[in-house]
Amino acid sequence: MLRRAVLLSPIASFVWRLEAAGRLEAFGMTWTVPVDADWSVEREDGQEVLRLLVARPREKNPRRPFQYALGGVPPFAKWSWQIDVRREPVRGSLILVYAWRDPAHFNYIHLSDDSAAEQPVHNGIFHVYGGDRVRISSDKGPCSLPTAGWHHVEVKYDSAAGTVDVLVDGQPNPSLRAVDLSLGAGQIGAGS
């Protein structure tokens, strides 16, 4: 679930065509989602909150996320994104999508209540390039969402260098740093 999404420092932008089934308004922009009935925009403590309501069954192949909302901003090549996130107590994790070109080509940050050492497909940076997700970050480091409370996340991405760095509550984590030069500029999103 998201509260307050701010995209800072766009350097360059490119445009790709986006086709999707639904659109939501939150945080002053339009979010594109696969099924709009699966999402809600609510008010909590005076703030807008974007929430995924329905966890749809995952397809077995390829294994990659498909339930995410894409932010209504152009694909940027270099940016910094600050966002407040809260995991659901039962699910324990969420994702932030970046460098999104299409449903088969994107990277994502998986934030979780367990460490990568405990669950290799959690708490890290992952790459999707036409097939299954592949981890591109270290599996060293603590969990990123130890509590079900709100956490402040800052993501810095530079497509020319291929780097992504993520701070959670101001703290770096080795499992949340990666380099990938294959995708370049792309859209951002959030989901599960």
Side-chain angles (χ1 to χ4, degrees):
M1 148 174 31
L2 307 180
R3 171 180 80 175
R4 190 177 56 147
V6 179
L7 181 66
L8 303 171
S9 306
I11 304 301
S13 65
F14 304 89
V15 178
W16 280 281
R17 186 169 173 223
L18 173 65
E19 295 180 26
R23 299 197 188 290
L24 301 169
E25 298 294 324
F27 318 117
M29 66 179 155
T30 302
W31 295 77
T32 304
V33 295
V35 180
D36 56 357
D38 291 354
W39 298 80
S40 74
V41 178
E42 305 166 6
R43 296 224 40 102
E44 186 176 298
D45 299 327
Q47 303 252 352
E48 273 189 325
V49 174
L50 177 62
R51 182 188 311 259
L52 177 62
L53 301 172
V54 177
R56 293 190 178 269
R58 177 179 50 215
E59 295 179 23
K60 290 187 176 187
N61 293 310
R63 291 187 57 95
R64 60 181 177 230
F66 65 94
Q67 266 189 303
Y68 47 83
L70 290 174
V73 296
F76 293 117
K78 185 174 184 177
W79 47 261
S80 176
W81 186 17
Q82 293 188 31
I83 186 168
D84 291 336
V85 301
R86 182 174 74 191
R87 65 176 170 81
E88 294 291 346
V90 177
R91 291 189 195 119
S93 65
L94 57 94
I95 66 168
L96 299 175
V97 174
Y98 71 98
W100 187 93
R101 288 188 189 177
D102 60 52
H105 299 89
F106 61 94
N107 288 338
Y108 69 95
I109 301 153
H110 187 277
L111 304 173
S112 179
D113 63 348
D114 51 13
S115 71
E118 294 172 276
Q119 181 55 261
V121 294
H122 287 187
N123 209 54
I125 312 292
F126 296 85
H127 178 64
V128 174
Y129 203 86
D132 290 350
R133 66 178 177 237
V134 176
R135 182 180 198 94
I136 58 173
S137 65
S138 169
D139 62 358
K140 308 293 186 251
C143 68
S144 51
L145 302 177
T147 69
W150 289 104
H151 297 275
H152 184 72
V153 177
E154 183 174 0
V155 181
K156 293 181 181 179
Y157 176 63
D158 181 346
S159 65
T163 58
V164 65
D165 287 290
V166 182
L167 300 175
V168 178
D169 296 327
Q171 299 299 308
N173 184 333
S175 67
L176 298 177
R177 301 185 81 216
V179 176
D180 171 38
L181 292 165
S182 67
L183 292 173
Q187 291 185 289
I188 60 168
S192 179

